[in-house]
Amino acid sequence: MSHTLEERCRQLMIQRKFEQCQKEIETAMAENPHGAIPHNLMGILLEKESNHILAMKHFRAAYAKSKQYRKNQCRTNHLREEGGAFCLLLCRFRW
């Protein structure tokens, strides 16, 4: 069974395999430089690693790259209010 990038990254983040997750995301960015999904995932990963400034840059890139990710405006506002990756993961993956 083939899993989507989002599903694979979710599992890797749950398992705290951040380096492997980052490699998967970077590969996806190289294969599809205009894709919003890899940037959104990188933002979530960076949030998990407490790199809030770089995470916001990736959320903005995802926002700019796809109408599908216009919801990121809500996520970035939510991030500013709540200040944590866990909130983002709840919003994105609906645990």
Side-chain angles (χ1 to χ4, degrees), residues 1-17:
M1 173 184 277
S2 176
H3 296 285
T4 66
L5 176 65
E6 292 169 295
E7 292 168 343
R8 289 191 313 271
C9 286
R10 177 176 181 245
Q11 288 304 313
L12 291 170
M13 286 184 210
I14 289 169
Q15 297 167 6
R16 303 192 60 79
K17 295 181 179 178

Side-chain angles (χ1 to χ4, degrees), residues 1-72:
M1 173 184 277
S2 176
H3 296 285
T4 66
L5 176 65
E6 292 169 295
E7 292 168 343
R8 289 191 313 271
C9 286
R10 177 176 181 245
Q11 288 304 313
L12 291 170
M13 286 184 210
I14 289 169
Q15 297 167 6
R16 303 192 60 79
K17 295 181 179 178
F18 298 138
E19 288 182 29
Q20 186 178 349
C21 184
Q22 182 175 347
K23 288 178 185 175
E24 290 228 13
I25 295 169
E26 288 171 349
T27 299
M29 285 181 176
E31 291 172 359
N32 184 9
H34 301 293
I37 292 172
H39 281 282
N40 191 54
L41 291 170
M42 185 63 82
I44 293 170
L45 177 63
L46 291 166
E47 265 301 302
K48 296 279 289 177
E49 294 176 334
S50 298
N51 191 340
H52 307 295
I53 293 171
L54 192 54
M56 293 299 291
K57 291 179 181 181
H58 281 280
F59 288 132
R60 280 195 220 67
Y63 177 84
K65 290 179 181 287
S66 175
K67 291 180 183 179
Q68 178 185 0
Y69 277 83
R70 297 288 185 206
K71 295 176 186 177
N72 276 341

Side-chain angles (χ1 to χ4, degrees), residues 47-48 52 78-89:
E47 265 301 302
K48 296 279 289 177
H52 307 295
H78 187 91
L79 172 64
R80 287 186 198 121
E81 293 170 10
E82 299 296 329
F86 189 68
C87 295
L88 288 170
L89 288 170

